[in-house]
Amino acid sequence: EETTVETPSTPSEPIIEQPIATPTIEEPKSTETPVEEITTPEVPEPPPEENLDLLRQQVTSYLTERSDRLKQRQELREQNLQAEKTRLNAEQQQAAMTRLDSSIKRIPPFIKRLRTLTEQQRDALSRDMQTLNLTRYISEVATALTEAKLKMSDVWSSVQICSLLHQRYPDFSMSLYENWLKVLQKETLNDNLSKVRVDLRLYAELITVHVLPIQQSINHLLTLLTALINNDKDFSNLTILISFCRLCGEDYAEIFSNKIRKIIVKLDENIDDTNPSIFHTNELKQQIRQMLNEYFQKLSVYLIDEYKQLQKQDQLMKRTME
């Protein structure tokens, strides 16, 4: 008999279905060119409108100060000229002075105070002067006034004191001038620039109000200005000349503020900027103005050269730092 042997059947492994990968379809690239955004150009803001009232105020203030300054000098000049015309003779002068105090206790302290003259002391010095007989001390008084170390704000007070002395003492003018020749020498102008700056203005003001002998003093002033301009290789005298132009420039060179003149033109109004200084001749003004113009031209060339040198140094430093 045939026997059949049954072989055990092995279970079949489960079939795992793999997912079918679908290919990614790339979106077609757009061929359209991007539209540029249209930007509107920025409109610059208009400059702020100038305050015309403020400009008028600046002009009015400048012209008022200028008019007051000219009037102040004109009045003092007329007083000095009038005193020269109505001087007492020698006998009358001596008789008038004998009634005043000439004691040794009062005069030396008075002269000492002149060396430290300030605007605050002016009235007290003027009162004391009316009671003192300084006839024998005129040289010492002149020396004290020329050697005093003044501030610029004290200059006009010194001019007034000198005017009172000139009106009372006939020989004061020449004594003061001789002392200025010792103090303001062209060879020593660079020794003390700050004092020269003040002294030059005081000297020029004394000429304007007719305290100093006119022709000799003007000649010496021209000598000083020539020395300050021609011997200034490094322009160290610039501050002295700027101060002279600012404070005495109208009297001696017809210098008028360029800023104010431009404002007057801009306002286009009927503003009277005439009434020039008439204390000195036009020939003198033109001569000094020409000297100052030449100095300005030299200064301009000097500054341009200095600027070019600085540019070269800057470029050289940049190369070395690379």
Side-chain angles (χ1 to χ4, degrees), residues 10-275:
T10 58
S12 60
E13 295 179 357
I15 300 173
I16 300 174
E17 295 183 357
Q18 297 291 334
I20 301 173
T22 57
T24 58
I25 302 173
E26 295 182 358
E27 295 182 359
K29 295 181 179 180
S30 175
T31 58
E32 295 181 0
T33 57
V35 179
E36 295 182 357
E37 295 183 359
I38 301 175
T39 58
T40 57
E42 295 183 0
V43 180
E45 295 183 1
E49 294 184 2
E50 292 182 300
N51 190 332
L52 297 183
D53 290 336
L54 181 60
L55 295 179
R56 291 190 189 95
Q57 184 179 355
Q58 292 180 13
V59 173
T60 302
S61 176
Y62 176 84
L63 294 180
T64 301
E65 291 179 5
R66 172 175 175 262
S67 177
D68 292 343
R69 188 188 69 82
L70 294 176
K71 181 180 178 181
Q72 190 180 43
R73 281 149 183 77
Q74 181 63 35
E75 290 177 352
L76 191 55
R77 179 186 174 94
E78 290 176 355
Q79 293 173 13
N80 291 330
L81 289 172
Q82 184 64 24
E84 293 176 6
K85 294 177 182 178
T86 59
R87 287 197 187 281
L88 302 175
N89 58 39
E91 293 181 359
Q92 293 172 331
Q93 180 78 10
Q94 185 177 2
M97 290 299 163
T98 54
R99 296 192 295 268
L100 301 178
D101 190 352
S102 58
S103 64
I104 197 70
K105 293 182 179 180
R106 293 194 60 193
I107 291 182
F110 175 81
I111 295 175
K112 185 177 180 180
R113 288 161 60 198
L114 291 178
R115 294 182 180 274
T116 58
L117 188 152
T118 62
E119 186 178 5
Q120 290 74 21
Q121 295 176 328
R122 178 191 59 197
D123 294 339
L125 288 170
S126 300
R127 288 193 300 268
D128 290 346
M129 193 188 308
Q130 302 298 327
T131 63
L132 295 176
N133 179 4
L134 301 171
T135 304
R136 293 183 296 173
Y137 301 92
I138 288 300
S139 178
E140 289 84 349
V141 169
T143 301
L145 288 167
T146 53
E147 293 181 354
K149 295 181 180 180
L150 302 175
K151 295 180 180 179
M152 196 64 78
S153 57
D154 301 325
V155 167
W156 186 246
S157 297
S158 182
V159 172
Q160 291 174 310
I161 294 295
C162 290
S163 294
L164 292 176
L165 289 164
H166 172 61
Q167 294 166 19
R168 174 166 289 199
Y169 301 99
D171 53 345
F172 173 74
S173 175
M174 185 56 66
S175 180
L176 185 65
Y177 170 69
E178 291 172 352
N179 275 275
W180 277 123
L181 293 181
K182 299 174 185 177
V183 173
L184 288 174
Q185 297 181 0
K186 63 180 182 179
E187 296 82 8
T188 60
L189 289 176
N190 294 327
D191 292 350
N192 190 344
L193 295 179
S194 60
K195 188 176 189 308
V196 170
R197 184 171 63 90
V198 178
D199 285 351
L200 186 67
R201 187 218 167 171
L202 175 56
Y203 182 77
E205 295 280 16
L206 290 171
I207 299 174
T208 297
V209 299
H210 220 281
V211 168
L212 297 175
I214 297 300
Q215 196 55 51
Q216 301 99 304
S217 301
I218 287 178
N219 290 339
H220 189 58
L221 177 64
L222 292 174
T223 300
L224 295 174
L225 290 175
T226 302
L228 288 170
I229 290 173
N230 293 344
N231 300 333
D232 194 15
K233 304 302 180 183
D234 58 351
F235 296 93
S236 58
N237 299 333
L238 179 60
T239 56
I240 298 176
L241 294 169
I242 288 178
S243 177
F244 177 81
C245 291
R246 184 169 58 87
L247 298 170
C248 304
E250 184 169 3
D251 294 335
Y252 284 92
E254 291 186 342
I255 295 176
F256 189 91
S257 171
N258 193 40
K259 174 185 175 182
I260 298 298
R261 195 179 297 280
K262 288 181 178 179
I263 294 177
I264 292 175
V265 173
K266 182 179 294 185
L267 291 175
D268 193 21
E269 297 176 358
N270 187 19
I271 298 176
D272 184 13
D273 62 336
T274 56
N275 188 26

